[in-house]
Amino acid sequence: MPEVHETIAGFRAALELAREDERGIGFVPTMGYLHEGHASLMRQASAENETAVASIFVNPLQFAANEDLGAYPRDLERDLALADECGVAHVFTPSVAEMYPVPVLTTVSVGGVTERFEGASRPEHFAGVATVVAKLFSIAGPCRAYFGDKDFQQLAVVRRMVADLSMPVDVVGCPIVREPDGLAMSSRNVYLTPAQRAAAPALHRGLQAAAAAAADGERNVDRVRAALADAVAAEPEATLDYAELVDALTLEPATVVGGTEQRLLVAARFGTTRLLDNLAVDLP
Ligand code: PAF
């Protein structure tokens, strides 16, 4: 079983000891309730580094007042067993009092990439994410940090923060892990009713349809976007929030198809559960 550290000092000391080895530390920050998507990050961190470590912390700063922080699913015992299977040596499980013993007056806010999409519907969310990730990086020290491509905007925010603040962290984006029917794995999938769960792969179908249109030569952004939006709109259980083709680094909406590295982004509500997905559009 991994060594569990509830204090900042304990986790920091364990990593300092581990850092003496040249192959370094692979760090997977999480909010727990781990699934196969997290497992793939932990396995990659174990394979690419001498020591793999993870954190499990449900960060109150990234939840809005209307989002039920208390209802966030938790299962520490199962999480530790999965971390163990994936070769994780140390898990940081701080309490809220350990992370934020006094009200937070210092926050990290990343402009530009946070303005649209998730940032538009959850205005405080990315400042909460950037602040906790900056704090976790400050505790962990130099490392490679593994994040899923699934939360593509979060990954863009973390990359930008690390670059802007010259943090000694190498951010590694890892491929989305999908259920056999294409649904991207997410801790939120447990909230779906059977009918919503059956409808949810429409997001992946839409992404594939739009990527196929681009690969077949469609160069009109509106038509590529429509291929994605229409596939989601055709599903009565889904309410589309956004469907967009963006530059993969800046997340600015594309005006032409191709030319730079691009990503299709989609979000939709299934009842009260909001799901996200995305797909690379790789054209010459
Ligand atoms: O993706 C998550 O689980 C969280 O947003 C993160 C990066 C662990 C920060 O709390």
Side-chain angles (χ1 to χ4, degrees):
M1 276 294 179
E3 219 174 292
V4 176
H5 305 273
E6 291 178 358
T7 66
I8 292 172
F11 186 56
R12 191 174 257 159
L15 267 60
E16 257 153 37
L17 209 63
R19 195 169 292 109
E20 286 168 10
D21 190 288
E22 282 183 355
R23 277 183 66 216
I25 289 171
F27 179 25
V28 184
T30 81
M31 296 209 299
Y33 211 68
L34 306 180
H35 51 66
E36 200 42 45
H38 298 108
S40 75
L41 304 182
M42 295 191 289
R43 284 193 201 103
Q44 192 168 333
S46 297
E48 294 178 354
N49 302 277
E50 179 60 26
T51 308
V53 306
S55 61
I56 296 176
F57 178 62
V58 182
N59 171 38
L61 297 189
Q62 68 191 78
F63 288 78
N66 64 335
E67 294 172 349
D68 196 352
L69 169 68
Y72 197 84
R74 297 163 207 242
D75 191 341
L76 183 59
E77 217 171 297
R78 208 184 49 131
D79 288 350
L80 292 177
L82 186 60
D84 187 39
E85 260 176 51
C86 298
V88 170
H90 298 274
V91 179
F92 181 41
T93 59
S95 63
V96 173
E98 176 69 9
M99 284 294 270
Y100 306 125
V102 290
V104 173
L105 299 180
T106 307
T107 56
V108 179
S109 108
V110 180
V113 285
T114 57
E115 276 160 21
R116 296 185 170 88
F117 311 119
E118 295 311 290
S121 58
R122 305 174 75 193
E124 304 302 317
H125 175 69
F126 284 123
V129 171
T131 301
V132 78
V133 173
K135 183 157 173 132
L136 289 168
F137 286 174
S138 152
I139 295 166
C143 61
R144 283 196 195 97
Y146 294 79
F147 292 85
D149 280 347
K150 160 72 191 5
D151 294 308
F152 196 76
Q153 192 173 11
Q154 168 173 282
L155 179 58
V157 169
V158 172
R159 282 194 201 285
R160 190 60 201 235
M161 173 186 78
V162 163
D164 285 353
L165 300 182
S166 305
M167 292 178 167
V169 175
D170 185 8
V171 178
V172 184
C174 306
I176 296 174
V177 180
R178 297 184 180 281
E179 301 285 359
D181 62 5
L183 176 64
M185 288 200 183
S186 163
S187 308
R188 294 184 190 168
N189 294 351
V190 295
Y191 299 126
L192 298 170
T193 64
Q196 291 163 355
R197 172 63 190 83
L203 297 183
H204 186 230
R205 278 200 303 278
L207 290 167
Q208 285 181 309
D216 288 348
E218 179 60 73
R219 291 294 170 267
N220 180 298
V221 175
D222 288 338
R223 282 198 283 271
V224 169
R225 200 190 292 124
L228 170 53
D230 291 351
V232 178
E235 179 46 70
E237 293 281 347
T239 308
L240 182 68
D241 188 347
Y242 57 79
E244 195 57 82
L245 178 69
V246 300
D247 178 277
L249 274 186
T250 63
L251 302 198
E252 287 293 321
T255 51
V256 289
V257 180
T260 59
E261 208 186 309
Q262 294 182 325
R263 203 93 185 175
L264 287 155
L265 304 181
V266 66
R269 265 180 298 109
F270 294 79
T272 53
T273 305
R274 222 165 141 270
L275 298 183
L276 316 182
D277 204 343
N278 65 82
L279 193 65
V281 176
D282 290 322
L283 298 175

